[in-house]
PDB file of all heavy atoms in Angstrom:
ATOM      1  N   VAL B  17       0.874  -1.201  -0.006  1.00  0.00           N
ATOM      2  CA  VAL B  17       0.012  -0.002   0.058  1.00  0.00           C
ATOM      3  C   VAL B  17       0.939   1.177   0.004  1.00  0.00           C
ATOM      4  O   VAL B  17       1.643   1.465   0.977  1.00  0.00           O
ATOM      5  CB  VAL B  17      -0.934  -0.013   1.281  1.00  0.00           C
ATOM      6  CG1 VAL B  17      -1.813   1.250   1.223  1.00  0.00           C
ATOM      7  CG2 VAL B  17      -1.670  -1.254   1.327  1.00  0.00           C
ATOM      8  N   GLU B  18       0.967   1.910  -1.065  1.00  0.00           N
ATOM      9  CA  GLU B  18       1.851   3.079  -1.224  1.00  0.00           C
ATOM     10  C   GLU B  18       3.213   2.730  -0.834  1.00  0.00           C
ATOM     11  O   GLU B  18       3.930   3.336  -0.047  1.00  0.00           O
ATOM     12  CB  GLU B  18       1.396   4.282  -0.430  1.00  0.00           C
ATOM     13  CG  GLU B  18      -0.025   4.786  -0.960  1.00  0.00           C
ATOM     14  CD  GLU B  18      -0.513   6.036  -0.249  1.00  0.00           C
ATOM     15  OE1 GLU B  18       0.207   6.486   0.739  1.00  0.00           O
ATOM     16  OE2 GLU B  18      -1.590   6.500  -0.486  1.00  0.00           O
ATOM     17  N   ARG B  19       3.721   1.581  -1.450  1.00  0.00           N
ATOM     18  CA  ARG B  19       5.068   1.115  -1.356  1.00  0.00           C
ATOM     19  C   ARG B  19       5.454   0.444  -0.046  1.00  0.00           C
ATOM     20  O   ARG B  19       6.576   0.013   0.184  1.00  0.00           O
ATOM     21  CB  ARG B  19       6.114   2.218  -1.665  1.00  0.00           C
ATOM     22  CG  ARG B  19       5.846   2.885  -2.915  1.00  0.00           C
ATOM     23  CD  ARG B  19       6.976   3.927  -3.118  1.00  0.00           C
ATOM     24  NE  ARG B  19       7.956   3.305  -4.102  1.00  0.00           N
ATOM     25  CZ  ARG B  19       8.872   4.021  -4.729  1.00  0.00           C
ATOM     26  NH1 ARG B  19       9.059   5.321  -4.550  1.00  0.00           N
ATOM     27  NH2 ARG B  19       9.814   3.491  -5.576  1.00  0.00           N
ATOM     28  N   ARG B  20       4.558   0.335   0.840  1.00  0.00           N
ATOM     29  CA  ARG B  20       4.687  -0.486   2.094  1.00  0.00           C
ATOM     30  C   ARG B  20       3.821  -1.579   2.271  1.00  0.00           C
ATOM     31  O   ARG B  20       2.668  -1.575   2.038  1.00  0.00           O
ATOM     32  CB  ARG B  20       4.489   0.531   3.286  1.00  0.00           C
ATOM     33  CG  ARG B  20       5.430   1.736   3.308  1.00  0.00           C
ATOM     34  CD  ARG B  20       6.768   1.419   3.651  1.00  0.00           C
ATOM     35  NE  ARG B  20       7.657   2.657   3.589  1.00  0.00           N
ATOM     36  CZ  ARG B  20       8.277   3.037   2.566  1.00  0.00           C
ATOM     37  NH1 ARG B  20       8.415   2.321   1.417  1.00  0.00           N
ATOM     38  NH2 ARG B  20       9.002   4.264   2.541  1.00  0.00           N
ATOM     39  N   LEU B  21       4.408  -2.787   2.759  1.00  0.00           N
ATOM     40  CA  LEU B  21       3.658  -3.986   2.943  1.00  0.00           C
ATOM     41  C   LEU B  21       2.767  -3.845   4.115  1.00  0.00           C
ATOM     42  O   LEU B  21       3.335  -3.534   5.293  1.00  0.00           O
ATOM     43  CB  LEU B  21       4.625  -5.196   3.144  1.00  0.00           C
ATOM     44  CG  LEU B  21       5.396  -5.646   1.833  1.00  0.00           C
ATOM     45  CD1 LEU B  21       6.361  -6.680   2.315  1.00  0.00           C
ATOM     46  CD2 LEU B  21       4.495  -6.155   0.802  1.00  0.00           C
ATOM     47  N   ASN B  22       1.496  -4.000   3.970  1.00  0.00           N
ATOM     48  CA  ASN B  22       0.491  -3.847   4.983  1.00  0.00           C
ATOM     49  C   ASN B  22      -0.308  -5.076   5.144  1.00  0.00           C
ATOM     50  O   ASN B  22      -0.265  -5.925   4.234  1.00  0.00           O
ATOM     51  CB  ASN B  22      -0.343  -2.635   4.718  1.00  0.00           C
ATOM     52  CG  ASN B  22       0.223  -1.396   5.342  1.00  0.00           C
ATOM     53  OD1 ASN B  22       0.076  -1.024   6.568  1.00  0.00           O
ATOM     54  ND2 ASN B  22       0.887  -0.625   4.600  1.00  0.00           N
ATOM     55  N   LEU B  23      -1.006  -5.306   6.221  1.00  0.00           N
ATOM     56  CA  LEU B  23      -1.725  -6.466   6.490  1.00  0.00           C
ATOM     57  C   LEU B  23      -3.164  -6.415   5.921  1.00  0.00           C
ATOM     58  O   LEU B  23      -3.874  -5.376   6.023  1.00  0.00           O
ATOM     59  CB  LEU B  23      -1.800  -6.780   8.006  1.00  0.00           C
ATOM     60  CG  LEU B  23      -0.623  -7.221   8.687  1.00  0.00           C
ATOM     61  CD1 LEU B  23      -0.788  -7.280  10.265  1.00  0.00           C
ATOM     62  CD2 LEU B  23      -0.398  -8.677   8.276  1.00  0.00           C
ATOM     63  N   TYR B  24      -3.584  -7.515   5.318  1.00  0.00           N
ATOM     64  CA  TYR B  24      -4.924  -7.753   4.833  1.00  0.00           C
ATOM     65  C   TYR B  24      -5.478  -9.023   5.431  1.00  0.00           C
ATOM     66  O   TYR B  24      -4.771  -9.914   5.778  1.00  0.00           O
ATOM     67  CB  TYR B  24      -4.949  -7.873   3.350  1.00  0.00           C
ATOM     68  CG  TYR B  24      -4.739  -6.638   2.524  1.00  0.00           C
ATOM     69  CD1 TYR B  24      -3.571  -5.993   2.491  1.00  0.00           C
ATOM     70  CD2 TYR B  24      -5.844  -6.135   1.877  1.00  0.00           C
ATOM     71  CE1 TYR B  24      -3.405  -4.715   1.838  1.00  0.00           C
ATOM     72  CE2 TYR B  24      -5.842  -4.879   1.062  1.00  0.00           C
ATOM     73  CZ  TYR B  24      -4.557  -4.209   1.107  1.00  0.00           C
ATOM     74  OH  TYR B  24      -4.282  -3.076   0.366  1.00  0.00           O
ATOM     75  N   VAL B  25      -6.743  -9.050   5.676  1.00  0.00           N
ATOM     76  CA  VAL B  25      -7.522 -10.303   6.074  1.00  0.00           C
ATOM     77  C   VAL B  25      -8.578 -10.632   5.031  1.00  0.00           C
ATOM     78  O   VAL B  25      -9.129  -9.723   4.427  1.00  0.00           O
ATOM     79  CB  VAL B  25      -8.246 -10.170   7.453  1.00  0.00           C
ATOM     80  CG1 VAL B  25      -7.103  -9.969   8.467  1.00  0.00           C
ATOM     81  CG2 VAL B  25      -9.240  -8.994   7.553  1.00  0.00           C
ATOM     82  N   GLN B  26      -8.833 -11.777   4.969  1.00  0.00           N
ATOM     83  CA  GLN B  26      -9.841 -12.216   3.886  1.00  0.00           C
ATOM     84  C   GLN B  26     -10.574 -13.616   4.387  1.00  0.00           C
ATOM     85  O   GLN B  26      -9.981 -14.489   4.413  1.00  0.00           O
ATOM     86  CB  GLN B  26      -9.216 -12.569   2.544  1.00  0.00           C
ATOM     87  CG  GLN B  26     -10.178 -12.915   1.403  1.00  0.00           C
ATOM     88  CD  GLN B  26      -9.308 -13.145   0.070  1.00  0.00           C
ATOM     89  OE1 GLN B  26      -8.170 -12.945   0.025  1.00  0.00           O
ATOM     90  NE2 GLN B  26     -10.154 -13.479  -0.867  1.00  0.00           N
ATOM     91  N   PRO B  27     -11.893 -13.468   4.721  1.00  0.00           N
ATOM     92  CA  PRO B  27     -12.558 -14.574   5.049  1.00  0.00           C
ATOM     93  C   PRO B  27     -12.566 -15.663   3.794  1.00  0.00           C
ATOM     94  O   PRO B  27     -12.565 -15.225   2.634  1.00  0.00           O
ATOM     95  CB  PRO B  27     -14.008 -14.083   5.312  1.00  0.00           C
ATOM     96  CG  PRO B  27     -13.901 -12.649   5.507  1.00  0.00           C
ATOM     97  CD  PRO B  27     -12.725 -12.203   4.724  1.00  0.00           C
ATOM     98  N   LEU B  28     -12.347 -16.890   4.067  1.00  0.00           N
ATOM     99  CA  LEU B  28     -12.390 -17.976   2.954  1.00  0.00           C
ATOM    100  C   LEU B  28     -13.655 -17.721   2.110  1.00  0.00           C
ATOM    101  O   LEU B  28     -14.760 -17.724   2.608  1.00  0.00           O
ATOM    102  CB  LEU B  28     -12.254 -19.275   3.569  1.00  0.00           C
ATOM    103  CG  LEU B  28     -11.056 -19.616   4.258  1.00  0.00           C
ATOM    104  CD1 LEU B  28     -11.092 -21.107   4.636  1.00  0.00           C
ATOM    105  CD2 LEU B  28      -9.748 -19.273   3.613  1.00  0.00           C
ATOM    106  N   GLY B  29     -13.410 -17.512   0.875  1.00  0.00           N
ATOM    107  CA  GLY B  29     -14.529 -17.182   0.000  1.00  0.00           C
ATOM    108  C   GLY B  29     -15.106 -15.833  -0.115  1.00  0.00           C
ATOM    109  O   GLY B  29     -16.075 -15.489  -0.788  1.00  0.00           O
ATOM    110  N   GLY B  30     -14.524 -15.000   0.817  1.00  0.00           N
ATOM    111  CA  GLY B  30     -14.895 -13.600   0.860  1.00  0.00           C
ATOM    112  C   GLY B  30     -14.025 -12.549   0.284  1.00  0.00           C
ATOM    113  O   GLY B  30     -13.099 -12.914  -0.517  1.00  0.00           O
ATOM    114  N   GLU B  31     -14.168 -11.283   0.584  1.00  0.00           N
ATOM    115  CA  GLU B  31     -13.288 -10.158  -0.129  1.00  0.00           C
ATOM    116  C   GLU B  31     -12.209  -9.867   0.951  1.00  0.00           C
ATOM    117  O   GLU B  31     -12.367  -9.958   2.163  1.00  0.00           O
ATOM    118  CB  GLU B  31     -14.188  -8.936  -0.347  1.00  0.00           C
ATOM    119  CG  GLU B  31     -15.249  -9.206  -1.455  1.00  0.00           C
ATOM    120  CD  GLU B  31     -14.663  -9.522  -2.748  1.00  0.00           C
ATOM    121  OE1 GLU B  31     -13.673  -8.844  -3.145  1.00  0.00           O
ATOM    122  OE2 GLU B  31     -15.128 -10.425  -3.440  1.00  0.00           O
ATOM    123  N   ALA B  32     -11.051  -9.458   0.365  1.00  0.00           N
ATOM    124  CA  ALA B  32      -9.977  -9.030   1.219  1.00  0.00           C
ATOM    125  C   ALA B  32     -10.100  -7.696   1.793  1.00  0.00           C
ATOM    126  O   ALA B  32     -10.751  -6.758   0.984  1.00  0.00           O
ATOM    127  CB  ALA B  32      -8.624  -9.129   0.454  1.00  0.00           C
ATOM    128  N   LYS B  33      -9.628  -7.339   2.939  1.00  0.00           N
ATOM    129  CA  LYS B  33      -9.774  -6.035   3.564  1.00  0.00           C
ATOM    130  C   LYS B  33      -8.394  -5.609   4.133  1.00  0.00           C
ATOM    131  O   LYS B  33      -7.830  -6.382   4.974  1.00  0.00           O
ATOM    132  CB  LYS B  33     -10.879  -6.093   4.620  1.00  0.00           C
ATOM    133  CG  LYS B  33     -11.083  -4.712   5.368  1.00  0.00           C
ATOM    134  CD  LYS B  33     -11.985  -4.859   6.488  1.00  0.00           C
ATOM    135  CE  LYS B  33     -12.258  -3.578   7.179  1.00  0.00           C
ATOM    136  NZ  LYS B  33     -13.239  -3.601   8.327  1.00  0.00           N
ATOM    137  N   GLN B  34      -8.050  -4.456   3.880  1.00  0.00           N
ATOM    138  CA  GLN B  34      -6.752  -3.862   4.510  1.00  0.00           C
ATOM    139  C   GLN B  34      -7.074  -3.511   6.019  1.00  0.00           C
ATOM    140  O   GLN B  34      -8.092  -2.870   6.303  1.00  0.00           O
ATOM    141  CB  GLN B  34      -6.381  -2.687   3.825  1.00  0.00           C
ATOM    142  CG  GLN B  34      -5.113  -1.980   4.240  1.00  0.00           C
ATOM    143  CD  GLN B  34      -4.865  -0.556   3.649  1.00  0.00           C
ATOM    144  OE1 GLN B  34      -5.340  -0.320   2.563  1.00  0.00           O
ATOM    145  NE2 GLN B  34      -3.884   0.188   4.201  1.00  0.00           N
ATOM    146  N   VAL B  35      -6.170  -3.966   6.897  1.00  0.00           N
ATOM    147  CA  VAL B  35      -6.402  -3.764   8.231  1.00  0.00           C
ATOM    148  C   VAL B  35      -5.341  -2.879   8.927  1.00  0.00           C
ATOM    149  O   VAL B  35      -5.377  -2.381  10.141  1.00  0.00           O
ATOM    150  CB  VAL B  35      -6.556  -5.041   9.098  1.00  0.00           C
ATOM    151  CG1 VAL B  35      -7.776  -5.748   8.663  1.00  0.00           C
ATOM    152  CG2 VAL B  35      -5.369  -5.923   8.999  1.00  0.00           C
ATOM    153  N   THR B  36      -4.191  -2.609   8.256  1.00  0.00           N
ATOM    154  CA  THR B  36      -3.231  -1.640   8.712  1.00  0.00           C
ATOM    155  C   THR B  36      -2.857  -0.613   7.702  1.00  0.00           C
ATOM    156  O   THR B  36      -3.110  -0.791   6.517  1.00  0.00           O
ATOM    157  CB  THR B  36      -1.849  -2.369   9.100  1.00  0.00           C
ATOM    158  OG1 THR B  36      -1.335  -3.050   7.999  1.00  0.00           O
ATOM    159  CG2 THR B  36      -2.135  -3.409  10.222  1.00  0.00           C
ATOM    160  N   ALA B  37      -2.317   0.609   8.191  1.00  0.00           N
ATOM    161  CA  ALA B  37      -1.989   1.622   7.258  1.00  0.00           C
ATOM    162  C   ALA B  37      -0.641   2.128   7.747  1.00  0.00           C
ATOM    163  O   ALA B  37      -0.462   3.373   7.920  1.00  0.00           O
ATOM    164  CB  ALA B  37      -3.042   2.636   7.198  1.00  0.00           C
ATOM    165  N   VAL B  38       0.338   1.143   7.802  1.00  0.00           N
ATOM    166  CA  VAL B  38       1.653   1.602   8.166  1.00  0.00           C
ATOM    167  C   VAL B  38       2.376   2.249   7.012  1.00  0.00           C
ATOM    168  O   VAL B  38       2.439   1.694   5.894  1.00  0.00           O
ATOM    169  CB  VAL B  38       2.439   0.396   8.646  1.00  0.00           C
ATOM    170  CG1 VAL B  38       3.933   0.766   8.916  1.00  0.00           C
ATOM    171  CG2 VAL B  38       1.816  -0.196   9.864  1.00  0.00           C
ATOM    172  N   ALA B  39       2.976   3.453   7.192  1.00  0.00           N
ATOM    173  CA  ALA B  39       3.493   4.196   6.050  1.00  0.00           C
ATOM    174  C   ALA B  39       5.101   4.227   6.062  1.00  0.00           C
ATOM    175  O   ALA B  39       5.654   4.715   5.017  1.00  0.00           O
ATOM    176  CB  ALA B  39       3.034   5.711   6.136  1.00  0.00           C
ATOM    177  N   ASP B  40       5.642   3.950   7.150  1.00  0.00           N
ATOM    178  CA  ASP B  40       7.181   4.119   7.303  1.00  0.00           C
ATOM    179  C   ASP B  40       7.989   2.883   6.995  1.00  0.00           C
ATOM    180  O   ASP B  40       9.122   2.989   6.431  1.00  0.00           O
ATOM    181  CB  ASP B  40       7.637   4.767   8.656  1.00  0.00           C
ATOM    182  CG  ASP B  40       7.197   3.797   9.810  1.00  0.00           C
ATOM    183  OD1 ASP B  40       6.195   3.116   9.623  1.00  0.00           O
ATOM    184  OD2 ASP B  40       7.791   3.946  10.762  1.00  0.00           O
ATOM    185  N   ARG B  41       7.488   1.618   7.410  1.00  0.00           N
ATOM    186  CA  ARG B  41       8.317   0.441   7.169  1.00  0.00           C
ATOM    187  C   ARG B  41       7.251  -0.624   6.721  1.00  0.00           C
ATOM    188  O   ARG B  41       6.050  -0.701   7.163  1.00  0.00           O
ATOM    189  CB  ARG B  41       8.900   0.024   8.539  1.00  0.00           C
ATOM    190  CG  ARG B  41       9.786   1.034   9.181  1.00  0.00           C
ATOM    191  CD  ARG B  41      10.989   1.386   8.405  1.00  0.00           C
ATOM    192  NE  ARG B  41      12.052   0.485   8.713  1.00  0.00           N
ATOM    193  CZ  ARG B  41      13.244   0.499   7.967  1.00  0.00           C
ATOM    194  NH1 ARG B  41      13.472   1.440   7.179  1.00  0.00           N
ATOM    195  NH2 ARG B  41      14.111  -0.397   8.086  1.00  0.00           N
ATOM    196  N   ASP B  42       7.838  -1.703   6.006  1.00  0.00           N
ATOM    197  CA  ASP B  42       7.056  -2.869   5.704  1.00  0.00           C
ATOM    198  C   ASP B  42       6.643  -3.623   6.952  1.00  0.00           C
ATOM    199  O   ASP B  42       7.621  -3.698   7.849  1.00  0.00           O
ATOM    200  CB  ASP B  42       7.856  -3.658   4.664  1.00  0.00           C
ATOM    201  CG  ASP B  42       8.048  -3.008   3.334  1.00  0.00           C
ATOM    202  OD1 ASP B  42       7.208  -2.318   2.916  1.00  0.00           O
ATOM    203  OD2 ASP B  42       9.103  -3.441   2.706  1.00  0.00           O
ATOM    204  N   ILE B  43       5.621  -4.246   7.002  1.00  0.00           N
ATOM    205  CA  ILE B  43       5.367  -5.205   7.895  1.00  0.00           C
ATOM    206  C   ILE B  43       5.673  -6.654   7.366  1.00  0.00           C
ATOM    207  O   ILE B  43       5.294  -7.107   6.479  1.00  0.00           O
ATOM    208  CB  ILE B  43       3.810  -5.371   8.273  1.00  0.00           C
ATOM    209  CG1 ILE B  43       3.364  -3.998   8.881  1.00  0.00           C
ATOM    210  CG2 ILE B  43       3.557  -6.534   9.299  1.00  0.00           C
ATOM    211  CD1 ILE B  43       1.911  -3.930   9.222  1.00  0.00           C
ATOM    212  N   ARG B  44       6.755  -7.162   8.072  1.00  0.00           N
ATOM    213  CA  ARG B  44       7.381  -8.337   7.586  1.00  0.00           C
ATOM    214  C   ARG B  44       7.149  -9.580   8.524  1.00  0.00           C
ATOM    215  O   ARG B  44       7.319 -10.733   8.186  1.00  0.00           O
ATOM    216  CB  ARG B  44       8.825  -8.256   7.300  1.00  0.00           C
ATOM    217  CG  ARG B  44       8.994  -7.266   6.031  1.00  0.00           C
ATOM    218  CD  ARG B  44      10.461  -7.301   5.599  1.00  0.00           C
ATOM    219  NE  ARG B  44      10.605  -6.385   4.336  1.00  0.00           N
ATOM    220  CZ  ARG B  44      10.332  -6.756   3.087  1.00  0.00           C
ATOM    221  NH1 ARG B  44       9.965  -7.999   2.810  1.00  0.00           N
ATOM    222  NH2 ARG B  44      10.537  -5.837   2.062  1.00  0.00           N
ATOM    223  N   GLN B  45       7.018  -9.251   9.748  1.00  0.00           N
ATOM    224  CA  GLN B  45       6.859 -10.321  10.805  1.00  0.00           C
ATOM    225  C   GLN B  45       5.617 -10.048  11.522  1.00  0.00           C
ATOM    226  O   GLN B  45       5.299  -9.005  12.136  1.00  0.00           O
ATOM    227  CB  GLN B  45       7.952 -10.244  11.874  1.00  0.00           C
ATOM    228  CG  GLN B  45       9.297 -10.443  11.251  1.00  0.00           C
ATOM    229  CD  GLN B  45      10.475 -10.227  12.341  1.00  0.00           C
ATOM    230  OE1 GLN B  45      10.658 -11.128  13.207  1.00  0.00           O
ATOM    231  NE2 GLN B  45      11.187  -9.195  12.342  1.00  0.00           N
ATOM    232  N   TYR B  46       4.562 -11.047  11.434  1.00  0.00           N
ATOM    233  CA  TYR B  46       3.373 -10.932  12.068  1.00  0.00           C
ATOM    234  C   TYR B  46       2.800 -12.294  12.493  1.00  0.00           C
ATOM    235  O   TYR B  46       3.255 -13.353  11.800  1.00  0.00           O
ATOM    236  CB  TYR B  46       2.301 -10.116  11.321  1.00  0.00           C
ATOM    237  CG  TYR B  46       1.551 -10.904  10.215  1.00  0.00           C
ATOM    238  CD1 TYR B  46       0.337 -11.466  10.418  1.00  0.00           C
ATOM    239  CD2 TYR B  46       2.204 -11.135   8.996  1.00  0.00           C
ATOM    240  CE1 TYR B  46      -0.320 -12.221   9.428  1.00  0.00           C
ATOM    241  CE2 TYR B  46       1.561 -11.751   7.972  1.00  0.00           C
ATOM    242  CZ  TYR B  46       0.390 -12.354   8.195  1.00  0.00           C
ATOM    243  OH  TYR B  46      -0.300 -13.158   7.216  1.00  0.00           O
ATOM    244  N   PHE B  47       1.769 -12.474  13.333  1.00  0.00           N
ATOM    245  CA  PHE B  47       1.107 -13.716  13.479  1.00  0.00           C
ATOM    246  C   PHE B  47      -0.280 -13.397  13.995  1.00  0.00           C
ATOM    247  O   PHE B  47      -0.548 -12.335  14.663  1.00  0.00           O
ATOM    248  CB  PHE B  47       2.041 -14.559  14.434  1.00  0.00           C
ATOM    249  CG  PHE B  47       2.285 -13.946  15.818  1.00  0.00           C
ATOM    250  CD1 PHE B  47       1.420 -14.185  16.918  1.00  0.00           C
ATOM    251  CD2 PHE B  47       3.294 -13.085  15.992  1.00  0.00           C
ATOM    252  CE1 PHE B  47       1.673 -13.642  18.096  1.00  0.00           C
ATOM    253  CE2 PHE B  47       3.665 -12.542  17.214  1.00  0.00           C
ATOM    254  CZ  PHE B  47       2.855 -12.778  18.260  1.00  0.00           C
ATOM    255  N   TRP B  48      -1.169 -14.433  13.929  1.00  0.00           N
ATOM    256  CA  TRP B  48      -2.451 -14.361  14.686  1.00  0.00           C
ATOM    257  C   TRP B  48      -2.395 -14.547  16.103  1.00  0.00           C
ATOM    258  O   TRP B  48      -1.638 -15.369  16.573  1.00  0.00           O
ATOM    259  CB  TRP B  48      -3.377 -15.501  14.043  1.00  0.00           C
ATOM    260  CG  TRP B  48      -3.976 -15.170  12.674  1.00  0.00           C
ATOM    261  CD1 TRP B  48      -3.335 -15.415  11.423  1.00  0.00           C
ATOM    262  CD2 TRP B  48      -5.187 -14.398  12.383  1.00  0.00           C
ATOM    263  NE1 TRP B  48      -4.090 -15.029  10.429  1.00  0.00           N
ATOM    264  CE2 TRP B  48      -5.313 -14.370  10.957  1.00  0.00           C
ATOM    265  CE3 TRP B  48      -6.163 -14.013  13.084  1.00  0.00           C
ATOM    266  CZ2 TRP B  48      -6.426 -13.835  10.353  1.00  0.00           C
ATOM    267  CZ3 TRP B  48      -7.180 -13.274  12.545  1.00  0.00           C
ATOM    268  CH2 TRP B  48      -7.350 -13.295  11.120  1.00  0.00           C
ATOM    269  N   LYS B  49      -3.219 -13.867  16.842  1.00  0.00           N
ATOM    270  CA  LYS B  49      -3.334 -14.166  18.277  1.00  0.00           C
ATOM    271  C   LYS B  49      -4.767 -14.316  18.425  1.00  0.00           C
ATOM    272  O   LYS B  49      -5.709 -13.427  18.401  1.00  0.00           O
ATOM    273  CB  LYS B  49      -2.913 -12.857  19.074  1.00  0.00           C
ATOM    274  CG  LYS B  49      -2.986 -13.183  20.656  1.00  0.00           C
ATOM    275  CD  LYS B  49      -2.126 -14.398  21.032  1.00  0.00           C
ATOM    276  CE  LYS B  49      -2.564 -14.949  22.467  1.00  0.00           C
ATOM    277  NZ  LYS B  49      -1.907 -16.191  22.784  1.00  0.00           N
ATOM    278  N   GLY B  50      -5.146 -15.544  18.738  1.00  0.00           N
ATOM    279  CA  GLY B  50      -6.617 -15.909  18.617  1.00  0.00           C
ATOM    280  C   GLY B  50      -7.159 -15.600  17.293  1.00  0.00           C
ATOM    281  O   GLY B  50      -6.445 -15.528  16.223  1.00  0.00           O
ATOM    282  N   ASP B  51      -8.523 -15.621  17.083  1.00  0.00           N
ATOM    283  CA  ASP B  51      -9.212 -15.462  15.852  1.00  0.00           C
ATOM    284  C   ASP B  51      -9.527 -13.920  15.590  1.00  0.00           C
ATOM    285  O   ASP B  51     -10.045 -13.678  14.538  1.00  0.00           O
ATOM    286  CB  ASP B  51     -10.422 -16.213  15.779  1.00  0.00           C
ATOM    287  CG  ASP B  51     -10.135 -17.766  15.912  1.00  0.00           C
ATOM    288  OD1 ASP B  51      -9.236 -18.270  15.123  1.00  0.00           O
ATOM    289  OD2 ASP B  51     -10.924 -18.373  16.717  1.00  0.00           O
ATOM    290  N   ASP B  52      -9.178 -13.157  16.529  1.00  0.00           N
ATOM    291  CA  ASP B  52      -9.675 -11.734  16.413  1.00  0.00           C
ATOM    292  C   ASP B  52      -8.608 -10.672  16.350  1.00  0.00           C
ATOM    293  O   ASP B  52      -8.858  -9.532  16.108  1.00  0.00           O
ATOM    294  CB  ASP B  52     -10.450 -11.368  17.719  1.00  0.00           C
ATOM    295  CG  ASP B  52     -11.805 -12.232  17.802  1.00  0.00           C
ATOM    296  OD1 ASP B  52     -12.320 -12.468  16.694  1.00  0.00           O
ATOM    297  OD2 ASP B  52     -12.122 -12.592  18.909  1.00  0.00           O
ATOM    298  N   TYR B  53      -7.265 -11.087  16.574  1.00  0.00           N
ATOM    299  CA  TYR B  53      -6.188 -10.128  16.531  1.00  0.00           C
ATOM    300  C   TYR B  53      -5.070 -10.602  15.664  1.00  0.00           C
ATOM    301  O   TYR B  53      -4.832 -11.816  15.733  1.00  0.00           O
ATOM    302  CB  TYR B  53      -5.741  -9.744  18.055  1.00  0.00           C
ATOM    303  CG  TYR B  53      -6.682  -9.064  18.847  1.00  0.00           C
ATOM    304  CD1 TYR B  53      -7.592  -9.798  19.710  1.00  0.00           C
ATOM    305  CD2 TYR B  53      -6.845  -7.710  18.847  1.00  0.00           C
ATOM    306  CE1 TYR B  53      -8.480  -9.136  20.496  1.00  0.00           C
ATOM    307  CE2 TYR B  53      -7.703  -7.090  19.766  1.00  0.00           C
ATOM    308  CZ  TYR B  53      -8.605  -7.911  20.499  1.00  0.00           C
ATOM    309  OH  TYR B  53      -9.591  -7.205  21.277  1.00  0.00           O
TER     310      TYR B  53
END
């Protein structure tokens, strides 16, 4: 998103949605915590 890797979520069979808007650095390390975060 504007040259930075941001997080998206997508329900199986559904549409993808952007959930972060980080502008300074790519997000390269992430993980799920439960089903909500």
Side-chain angles (χ1 to χ4, degrees):
V17 179
E18 296 182 359
R19 308 186 96 166
R20 299 291 178 261
L21 290 174
N22 272 274
L23 281 172
Y24 283 71
V25 298
Q26 181 178 1
L28 296 187
E31 296 296 317
K33 178 182 179 179
Q34 181 184 344
V35 296
T36 61
V38 175
D40 60 332
R41 306 292 282 178
D42 292 329
I43 296 176
R44 295 190 176 274
Q45 301 178 72
Y46 82 93
F47 58 95
W48 282 88
K49 183 58 190 171
D51 297 314
D52 297 321
Y53 294 93

